[in-house]
C-alpha cells in the first residue's frame, strides 16, 4: 500500500498538497428468409412449389418454398442477370453475363447440370423458356439480338445447342437494339414477347418460336409514341395483347400494335395464367381482374417493391421488398380474393360494469353478401385468451354496432372478424378500451431513514382492500449502475394486509412495493428511499506511546516524527476519503484544512501528515465519506471518530 503525504508548515497551519479527483463512470430464432443484395430474376416453379431468386452479388440463386422459407441456395455461378424455369419445372436456367453462359441447374437440388457457352461479350442478359428451348437476349445499345439453347442437343454430338442471331429481320428491318426483355405465357406455347431496351424507342415484337426459326407475329418500331419506353413487357393470356410497363395494354393484329386500354398507373406487373394482373408502384401492390380497373386485392408494403411473380396456381404473389441494404422475399396471400376493409371504434375510456357501444364498418370494392356476419371477441384480464360474444350482422350500408358490459377493468380489447367468402378474403380488426379500476391503498415504511453499513433492515408494505389479487412484490434498487434492481420477495399479504422483506443496507437504496392489480383493482407502485452509511475506520502509526490527556486518549509522537493515518473504507470505484485535520490552541479546536485521497481497490489509503517540528502541539484527525464529493453518491455522508495526536520533544 502506497503512503500519501501532506506537509505541515506550522503547528497551527497544515498545508496540504493537491490531489487530482478521478471518477470512473461506470435475440428469437425464426425461419430463414431469402434476402439478396442485387435482385437478378424471380421465378416460381409450379411443379416443385418453389420460388427462385437470383442475386448478382456472389453469383447466387436462392430457393424457397411457397411460404417464403429458404430451403436451398447455390453461389459462385458468376454475374447472374435473369432466371427461367422449363415447362416441366425440372430445370432452372440462369443467364450469366460475365462468363457469357446459360447455366442449367437441377431445380430440385440446385446442382449445376450443364453450362452452355454463348459466343458473345455482351450477354446473355434476359432469359425465357418456350417451345422446348431457352431463349436469351444479348448485345449492346446499338446491336441487340436473340439467341437460343436447345437442351435436347448433346454437345458431344458435334452440333452446337446454342444458336445466335435468332431475331428475325424479315418483317422487322433492323431488329432490336440492346438486350430485349422477354416474356412467355403457359397458355400460349411457342409465343415469345420481346421488348427493346437499348435506345430511346419502345420497339417490341411478338414472335412465334415454335418452328425451326423464330418468325414475326407482330412488330412495332417507334420512338416513344406508343409506350414512352419499355421497362416491362408481359404476354396477356387468352388474347393477342401485351401489357407494357404494368399498365398499358397493346393489342396486336395483322402484324401491328395499337393501344387497347390500360390499368391504373403502374410500374411493373406480372400476369397470372387466368389473366389476372398483379401490379406494383413504389411500395403498393394491387391485383386486378382481366381488363378491369377495379382493384381486387391491395397490399400496402412498408418498403419499395423491386419485383413480383404470380404462383402458377394463383394462390399467392411473391414479391421482393427493399430490406436494409438488400431485398427480401415476401409472400402475399389471397391475391384473387377481394380484401375488405374493416374498422372498429370503441370508446377510449369506459366504466367497469357499465354498458358501452362499439361501432364499425365492413366495406369492399366487390359487393359483400347480404347479412354478412362478424365474429366478436372480448379480451381482458379475466379472459386473457378471449371470450366470444354474440355475432353481429352487418347492415345494408356496411355499418354495424354492438353493446357490451365489461366485467373487468384495465385494457379491454374488442376484436371483430369477417371469415371471408367465395370472393372475399378474411379480415380482422380491433380496438382497445381503458376500463376503470379502483385504486388500492399501498404504503411502505422507513422512507428517509439512515442506517449503518450492512444493517439488515425490514421494510413492511401494507395493501388495502382489493378484488382478488393479494400478492405484493418488494424490490430493492441499490444506488450505483453496477447493481440491478432486485426482487427481494413476492408474497401474499397477511390478514392485516402486511408483507415484509429484509434488505442488506450497504448502499443508499430505493425500495419499491409493487401490486400488479387484478380485474377490478388498478396496479400500484410505491417507493421509499433509505440511506446507508459507509463502513469506515482509521489506524494511527509511528507513535511511541499512547496516553490520556483530559478526557481523550492521545497518540504520542516526537515533534520530528510524521504520523501516518491509515483509513479503511467500504470500496466503490473511484471513491475517495476526505482527511480532515484540526489543531488545538487556547482551548479551541481550529480547522487546519482537509484533502481527498483516492482509496486503493482494497478500500485502504495511508496518508503521512508530516512532522510539525514543535513540541506541545495537540492535533486531531478524522476521515469521512462525503456523498458526491467523495467521487460517488451511492452512500450517505459518514464521519469516523476523531483520533487525537500529541507532539513532544
Amino acid at each position: 500500500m502506497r503512503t500519501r503525504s501532506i506537509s505541515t508548515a506550522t503547528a497551527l497551519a497544515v498545508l496540504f498538497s493537491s490531489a487530482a479527483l478521478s471518477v470512473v463512470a461506470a435475440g428469437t430464432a425464426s425461419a430463414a428468409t431469402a434476402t439478396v443484395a442485387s435482385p437478378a430474376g424471380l421465378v416460381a416453379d409450379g411443379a416443385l412449389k418453389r420460388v427462385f431468386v437470383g442475386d448478382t452479388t456472389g453469383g447466387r440463386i436462392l430457393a424457397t418454398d411457397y411460404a417464403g422459407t429458404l430451403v436451398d441456395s447455390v453461389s459462385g455461378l458468376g454475374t447472374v442477370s435473369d432466371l427461367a424455369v422449363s415447362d416441366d419445372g425440372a430445370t432452372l436456367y440462369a443467364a450469366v453475363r460475365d462468363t457469357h453462359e446459360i447455366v442449367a441447374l437441377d431445380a430440385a437440388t440446385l446442382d449445376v447440370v450443364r453450362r452452355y457457352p454463348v459466343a458473345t461479350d455482351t450477354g446473355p442478359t434476359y432469359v425465357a423458356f418456350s417451345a422446348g428451348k431457352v431463349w436469351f437476349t444479348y448485345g449492346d445499345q446499338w446491336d441487340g439480338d436473340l439467341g437460343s439453347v436447345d437442351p435436347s442437343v448433346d454437345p458431344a454430338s458435334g452440333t452446337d445447342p446454342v444458336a445466335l442471331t435468332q431475331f428475325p429481320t424479315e418483317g422487322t428491318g433492323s431488329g432490336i437494339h440492346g438486350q430485349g426483355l422477354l416474356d412467355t405465357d403457359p397458355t400460349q406455347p411457342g409465343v415469345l414477347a420481346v421488348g427493346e431496351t437499348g435506345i430511346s424507342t419502345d420497339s417490341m415484337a411478338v414472335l412465334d418460336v415454335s418452328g425451326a426459326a423464330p418468325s414475326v407475329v407482330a412488330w412495332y418500331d417507334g420512338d416513344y409514341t406508343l409506350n414512352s419506353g419499355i421497362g416491362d413487357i408481359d404476354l396477356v393470356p387468352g388474347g393477342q395483347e401485351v401489357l407494357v410497363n404494368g399498365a398499358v395494354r397493346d393489342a396486336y393484329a395483322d402484324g401491328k400494335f395499337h393501344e387497347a386500354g390500360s390499368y391504373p398507373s403502374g410500374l411493373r406487373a406480372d400476369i397470372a395464367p387466368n389473366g389476372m394482373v398483379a401490379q406494383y408502384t413504389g411500395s403498393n401492390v394491387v391485383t386486378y381482374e382481366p381488363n378491369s380497373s377495379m382493384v381486387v386485392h391491395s397490399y400496402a408494403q412498408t418498403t419499395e417493391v423491386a419485383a413480383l411473380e404470380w404462383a402458377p396456381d394463383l394462390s399467392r404473389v411473391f414479391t421482393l421488398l427493399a430490406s436494409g441494404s438488400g431485398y427480401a422475399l415476401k409472400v402475399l396471400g389471397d391475391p384473387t380474393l377481394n380484401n375488405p376493409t374493416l374498422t372498429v371504434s370503441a370508446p377510449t375510456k369506459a366504466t367497469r360494469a357499465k354498458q358501452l357501444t362499439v361501432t364499425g364498418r365492413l366495406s369492399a370494392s366487390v359487393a359483400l353478401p347480404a347479412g354478412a356476419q362478424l365474429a366478436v371477441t372480448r379480451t381482458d384480464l379475466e379472459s386473457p385468451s378471449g371470450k366470444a360474444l354474440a355475432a353481429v350482422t352487418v347492415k345494408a350500408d356496411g355499418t354495424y354496432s354492438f353493446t357490451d358490459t365489461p366485467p373487468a377493468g384495465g385494457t379491454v380489447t374488442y376484436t371483430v372478424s369477417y371469415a371471408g367468402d367465395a370472393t372475399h378474403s378474411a379480415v380482422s380488426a380491433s380496438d382497445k378500451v381503458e376500463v376503470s379500476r379502483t385504486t388500492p391503498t399501498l404504503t411502505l415504511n422507513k422512507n428517509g431513514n439512515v442506517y449503518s453499513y450492512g444493517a439488515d433492515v425490514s421494510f413492511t408494505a401494507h395493501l388495502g382492500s382489493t378484488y382478488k389479487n393479494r400478492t405484493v412484490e418488494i424490490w430493492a434498487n441499490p444506488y450505483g449502475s453496477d447493481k440491478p434492481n432486485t426482487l427481494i420477495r413476492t408474497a401474499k399479504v397477511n390478514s392485516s394486509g402486511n408483507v415484509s422483506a429484509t434488505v442488506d443496507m450497504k448502499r443508499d437504496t430505493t425500495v419499491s412495493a409493487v401490486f400488479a392489480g387484478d380485474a377490478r383493482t388498478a396496479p400500484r407502485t410505491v417507493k421509499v428511499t433509505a440511506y446507508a452509511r459507509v463502513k469506515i475506520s482509521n489506524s494511527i502509526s509511528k507513535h511511541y506511546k499512547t496516553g490520556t490527556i483530559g478526557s481523550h486518549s492521545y497518540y504520542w509522537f516526537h515533534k520530528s516524527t510524521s504520523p501516518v493515518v491509515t483509513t479503511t473504507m467500504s470500496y466503490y470505484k473511484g471513491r475517495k476519503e476526505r482527511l480532515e485535520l484540526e489543531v488545538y490552541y487556547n482551548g479551541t479546536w481550529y480547522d487546519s484544512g482537509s484533502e481527498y485521497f483516492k482509496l486503493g481497490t482494497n478500500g485502504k489509503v495511508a496518508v503521512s501528515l508530516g512532522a510539525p517540528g514543535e513540541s506541545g502541539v495537540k492535533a486531531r484527525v478524522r476521515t469521512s465519506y462525503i456523498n458526491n464529493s467523495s467521487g460517488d453518491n451511492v452512500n450517505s455522508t459518514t464521519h469516523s471518530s476523531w483520533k487525537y495526536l500529541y507532539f513532544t520533544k
Side-chain angles (χ1 to χ4, degrees):
M1 178 173 61
R2 192 177 76 173
T3 301
R4 312 286 182 91
S5 64
I6 58 175
S7 59
T8 306
T10 66
L12 298 180
V14 180
L15 304 178
F16 290 83
S17 60
S18 64
L21 177 67
S22 175
V23 180
V24 180
T28 303
S30 61
T33 58
T35 303
V36 298
S38 303
L42 173 65
V43 293
D45 186 335
L48 295 176
K49 292 194 179 298
R50 288 205 173 176
V51 182
F52 300 103
V53 186
D55 187 2
T56 298
T57 303
R60 299 193 307 153
I61 298 175
L62 308 181
T64 79
D65 58 21
Y66 268 19
T69 302
L70 186 66
V71 295
D72 204 355
S73 67
V74 62
S75 60
L77 296 174
T79 307
V80 176
S81 59
D82 199 16
L83 303 175
V85 177
S86 61
D87 289 342
D88 62 4
T91 307
L92 174 68
Y93 294 96
V96 182
R97 285 196 307 248
D98 60 338
T99 60
H100 313 298
E101 294 175 301
I102 298 295
V103 178
L105 303 98
D106 185 321
T109 64
L110 289 186
D111 293 333
V112 174
V113 176
R114 184 170 294 173
R115 292 178 178 268
Y116 298 96
V118 178
T120 178
D121 58 1
T122 54
T125 302
Y126 297 105
V127 64
F129 191 91
S130 183
K133 292 182 180 180
V134 184
W135 300 93
F136 61 88
T137 55
Y138 62 98
D140 58 23
Q141 180 175 353
W142 304 104
D143 184 18
D145 216 319
L146 178 69
S148 67
V149 176
D150 187 347
S152 67
V153 174
D154 185 353
S157 68
T159 300
D160 191 349
V162 179
L164 299 179
T165 62
Q166 295 285 290
F167 193 87
T169 56
E170 183 177 350
T172 65
S174 60
I176 63 169
H177 294 82
Q179 304 92 346
L181 300 165
L182 300 177
D183 190 56
T184 60
D185 171 33
T187 69
Q188 302 179 73
V191 178
L192 180 68
V194 184
E196 187 173 84
T197 63
I199 59 175
S200 301
T201 73
D202 50 4
S203 298
M204 58 185 174
V206 173
L207 306 178
D208 181 351
V209 296
S210 61
S215 60
V216 175
V217 176
W219 165 250
Y220 177 81
D221 186 12
D223 188 6
Y224 280 102
T225 55
L226 189 60
N227 301 302
S228 299
I230 299 176
D232 185 39
I233 189 168
D234 294 274
L235 278 170
V236 177
Q240 293 183 311
E241 283 186 3
V242 293
L243 181 65
V244 177
N245 299 333
V248 179
R249 293 167 43 219
D250 290 334
Y252 55 90
D254 301 324
K256 298 180 180 180
F257 285 92
H258 65 274
E259 186 173 338
S262 65
Y263 293 93
S265 177
L267 180 64
R268 299 285 189 274
D270 188 41
I271 305 180
N274 70 344
M276 286 192 68
V277 172
Q279 177 198 85
Y280 74 86
T281 304
S283 60
N284 295 317
V285 176
V286 295
T287 62
Y288 299 96
E289 289 288 350
N291 303 331
S292 172
S293 61
M294 185 179 69
V295 173
V296 174
H297 206 120
S298 62
Y299 308 87
Q301 307 303 311
T302 57
T303 58
E304 294 289 310
V305 183
L308 55 73
E309 177 87 358
W310 278 93
D313 62 3
L314 279 66
S315 63
R316 61 210 80 193
V317 170
F318 307 104
T319 62
L320 283 177
L321 302 181
S323 176
S325 59
Y327 299 85
L329 183 71
K330 182 176 181 181
V331 181
L332 307 179
D334 295 328
T336 63
L337 298 180
N338 184 227
N339 57 318
T341 299
L342 179 62
T343 63
V344 181
S345 179
T348 303
K349 295 181 179 180
T351 302
R352 192 193 66 78
K354 288 192 175 181
Q355 190 178 84
L356 55 80
T357 300
V358 179
T359 61
R361 179 183 292 272
L362 178 68
S363 58
S365 56
V366 175
L368 290 155
Q373 294 282 297
L374 303 178
V376 180
T377 302
R378 180 185 65 223
T379 305
D380 56 28
L381 290 172
E382 291 204 320
S383 302
S385 298
K387 178 179 177 59
L389 304 182
V392 179
T393 301
V394 179
K395 298 177 183 177
D397 62 357
T399 62
Y400 69 88
S401 67
F402 62 88
T403 59
D404 184 49
T405 302
T411 300
V412 177
T413 302
Y414 291 97
T415 301
V416 181
S417 303
Y418 180 59
D421 54 58
T423 55
H424 297 88
S425 60
V427 64
S428 180
S430 63
D431 199 11
K432 298 179 184 297
V433 185
E434 286 301 320
V435 178
S436 63
R437 288 184 282 179
T438 59
T439 300
T441 298
L442 182 63
T443 60
L444 189 61
N445 65 349
K446 299 184 179 175
N447 184 44
N449 289 8
V450 181
Y451 298 97
S452 297
Y453 180 86
D456 290 332
V457 179
S458 178
F459 291 84
T460 299
H462 174 76
L463 178 65
S465 61
T466 61
Y467 172 51
K468 286 184 178 180
N469 184 15
R470 300 298 291 163
T471 298
V472 171
E473 297 175 348
I474 297 182
W475 294 74
N477 190 9
Y479 279 34
S481 59
D482 59 326
K483 297 290 186 181
N485 191 22
T486 303
L487 178 62
I488 303 301
R489 189 180 182 194
T490 300
K492 288 185 177 181
V493 298
N494 61 21
S495 58
S496 299
N498 297 328
V499 62
S500 299
T502 299
V503 177
D504 184 11
M505 293 295 298
K506 292 183 177 178
R507 297 187 184 181
D508 296 348
T509 302
T510 299
V511 181
S512 303
V514 179
F515 171 67
D518 55 36
R520 299 183 185 181
T521 317
R524 191 173 180 192
T525 298
V526 295
K527 297 181 179 181
V528 298
T529 301
Y531 301 93
R533 302 182 183 93
V534 298
K535 187 177 183 180
I536 186 171
S537 64
N538 295 316
S539 63
I540 306 296
S541 60
K542 298 296 183 72
H543 55 288
Y544 67 88
K545 75 168 188 175
T546 60
T548 300
I549 302 176
S551 60
H552 299 293
S553 177
Y554 279 78
Y555 295 88
W556 292 55
F557 297 87
H558 296 295
K559 65 181 180 180
S560 59
T561 300
S562 174
V564 174
V565 181
T566 300
T567 300
T568 302
M569 185 182 295
S570 46
Y571 179 72
Y572 186 77
K573 266 190 176 181
R575 178 167 288 182
K576 300 177 180 181
E577 59 105 2
R578 187 183 75 171
L579 182 64
E580 183 180 1
L581 176 67
E582 291 185 355
V583 176
Y584 190 76
Y585 180 72
N586 284 341
T588 302
W589 289 102
Y590 289 93
D591 182 12
S592 291
S594 61
E595 185 176 346
Y596 286 88
F597 295 93
K598 187 175 181 180
L599 298 173
T601 56
N602 61 356
K604 294 179 179 291
V605 62
V607 178
S608 179
L609 298 180
E614 296 183 19
S615 61
V617 175
K618 293 180 182 177
R620 64 180 183 180
V621 294
R622 71 174 178 180
T623 54
S624 305
Y625 165 83
I626 308 298
N627 184 273
N628 285 312
S629 298
S630 283
D632 62 78
N633 69 339
V634 305
N635 285 97
S636 295
T637 296
T638 311
H639 303 285
S640 73
S641 59
W642 289 102
K643 297 290 186 180
Y644 292 85
L645 316 176
Y646 180 60
F647 295 89
T648 64
K649 292 182 180 180

